[in-house]
Amino acid sequence: MSAQSQTSLLHKHMGVLFSTMSSLELLRSLDSFDAREDDIFLVSYPKSGTHWVAEVLENIPHAGITLTSPIELGNVSKFEELKMVSRRRVIPTHLNYEMLPVTVKQKQCKIIYIVRNPKDTAVSLFHYYRDNPNLPSPETWAAFLELFIKGDVVYGSWFDHILSWEEHKKDENVLFLFYEEMKKDFVKSLKKISAFLGISVTDSEMSKISRHTSFSEMKSNAAKENCDPNHVICALTPNRNLVFRKGVVGDWINYFTPNQKRIFDELFTEKMKSSEVGRLLKEYV
Ligand code: A3P
């Protein structure tokens, strides 16, 4: 990717790359956001299953929520726009813990943090970079993986993101969800979500949610609603068609060469040596 495309599509805030769709004024003023005690934040590193969990939340009957667009998307008028939402807000974001507005921390808003193993995340982000006109197109998978490893991609290093959030994994107001666990036992994850939010969901409602939020259902619905400006979950594109690619665990095997795998595994072992999340993800990397 050329230096020129990097400049027009991406810029840095606190040493981390962001899409220019997130204005620097907005990023610099995040701490002036006025959180409400009942806000729910839906947080993830990009490509970890954010749209999936957002859809799950929207499908919970009687949840009384409104899903907003990401807090870091747009310009300084963002906070005025969020003020207009009268119901309980679900606010998506890919921010690391440090950048999360201070009032969200002070008010101990509920936070759902989604994790996905970094190899599948890297492959998914590679395709997003390639297909999304709002991101600079990488020349090759190898070139992109190098950037991912260095943390020279949007929202920075996967490792830094996960580790910044893991420090708060045991906080009462934080729920960690794993993409791989959702794939393995969706109902178990759904029960965790409903218990965390204090909303009861019946068995028949659970099967309905499970059907409505399956990968195939979401992919075909995305084709219908496509660029609905009121349904933007990722700060990197309003085009939902770019999101639903394969929706599987372990696709990385089709991309990593043995040498890339060795380098990545060494890095993973080093960075995640004291991490419980690292131990839980080990079987998927
Ligand atoms: P792949 O590119 O590996 O297919 P995000 O929503 O954070 O951008 O994450 C996008 C990833 O989640 C994509 O991964 C996408 O296919 C996958 N995904 C989206 N909805 C899904 C669903 N209902 N079930 C499983 N995976 C889903």
Side-chain angles (χ1 to χ4, degrees):
M1 63 189 81
S2 74
Q4 194 190 359
S5 58
Q6 283 266 17
T7 347
S8 58
L9 297 173
L10 304 177
H11 53 196
K12 276 195 175 177
H13 171 64
M14 292 170 77
V16 174
L17 281 173
F18 281 86
S19 152
T20 47
M21 293 190 298
S22 295
S23 83
L24 289 177
E25 290 87 341
L26 175 62
L27 293 170
R28 288 179 190 137
S29 62
L30 282 168
D31 274 340
S32 65
F33 170 70
D34 196 9
R36 298 179 191 155
E37 258 153 40
D38 69 350
D39 281 338
I40 300 164
F41 274 76
L42 182 58
V43 190
S44 56
Y45 187 82
K47 314 320 291 169
S48 304
T50 330
H51 289 76
W52 187 10
V53 178
E55 190 77 11
V56 170
L57 296 175
E58 283 197 298
N59 271 275
I60 296 178
H62 324 297
I65 54 151
T66 295
L67 184 70
T68 74
S69 64
I71 191 163
E72 72 274 27
L73 174 63
N75 56 38
V76 272
S77 65
K78 184 73 193 203
F79 301 155
E80 287 306 312
E81 184 192 314
L82 290 176
K83 258 191 210 162
M84 310 290 280
V85 179
S86 53
R87 295 205 304 178
R88 187 174 192 185
R89 303 178 293 192
V90 173
I91 306 175
T93 183
H94 293 313
L95 294 173
N96 65 29
Y97 186 82
E98 194 189 353
M99 291 178 192
L100 194 76
V102 67
T103 53
V104 180
K105 297 168 187 166
Q106 284 162 350
K107 295 196 175 162
Q108 302 205 306
C109 300
K110 286 206 154 94
I111 293 167
I112 298 177
Y113 186 79
I114 314 154
V115 191
R116 185 182 195 186
N117 80 74
K119 286 183 183 155
D120 283 338
T121 304
V123 169
S124 184
L125 191 58
F126 166 62
H127 286 96
Y128 215 37
Y129 258 70
R130 226 185 39 185
D131 303 339
N132 185 345
N134 302 314
L135 293 171
S137 193
E139 307 259 315
T140 58
W141 157 247
F144 177 79
L145 182 61
E146 236 173 79
L147 294 177
F148 185 86
I149 283 176
K150 285 195 273 182
D152 255 340
V153 287
V154 276
Y155 297 98
S157 147
W158 178 91
F159 296 99
D160 292 349
H161 205 281
I162 300 294
L163 294 171
S164 82
W165 277 99
E166 183 169 13
E167 283 182 35
H168 301 276
K169 185 169 181 285
K170 298 216 163 77
D171 294 0
E172 231 172 77
N173 59 320
V174 177
L175 172 70
F176 262 59
L177 290 177
F178 289 79
Y179 179 94
E180 293 78 7
E181 275 182 13
M182 286 183 59
K183 289 289 292 187
K184 205 192 280 177
D185 190 343
F186 177 78
V187 168
K188 192 174 164 193
S189 296
L190 180 50
K191 283 182 177 162
K192 279 188 193 169
I193 297 172
S194 62
F196 178 68
L197 298 179
I199 303 168
S200 63
V201 182
T202 65
D203 286 353
S204 79
E205 286 167 345
M206 288 208 199
S207 14
K208 212 166 159 188
I209 296 170
S210 171
R211 272 198 313 278
H212 282 168
T213 62
S214 70
F215 177 75
S216 54
E217 185 77 7
M218 285 186 68
K219 192 178 169 86
S220 73
N221 287 341
K224 288 176 224 150
E225 65 176 281
N226 197 4
C227 292
D228 177 355
N230 297 317
H231 208 191
V232 177
I233 286 148
C234 178
L236 301 169
T237 182
N239 184 350
R240 283 168 75 84
N241 275 325
L242 300 176
V243 173
F244 306 95
R245 193 184 59 92
K246 269 197 176 173
V248 297
V249 176
D251 190 35
W252 64 263
I253 207 105
N254 300 313
Y255 292 83
F256 281 71
T257 65
N259 196 40
Q260 288 169 342
K261 179 182 181 313
R262 186 186 53 75
I263 293 167
F264 199 92
D265 288 347
E266 278 172 19
L267 180 71
F268 184 90
T269 306
E270 163 60 22
K271 294 264 192 189
M272 305 300 278
K273 57 178 182 288
S274 319
S275 159
E276 190 197 332
V277 171
R279 272 195 298 285
L280 294 169
L281 287 178
K282 195 92 186 94
E283 70 174 289
Y284 303 106
V285 293

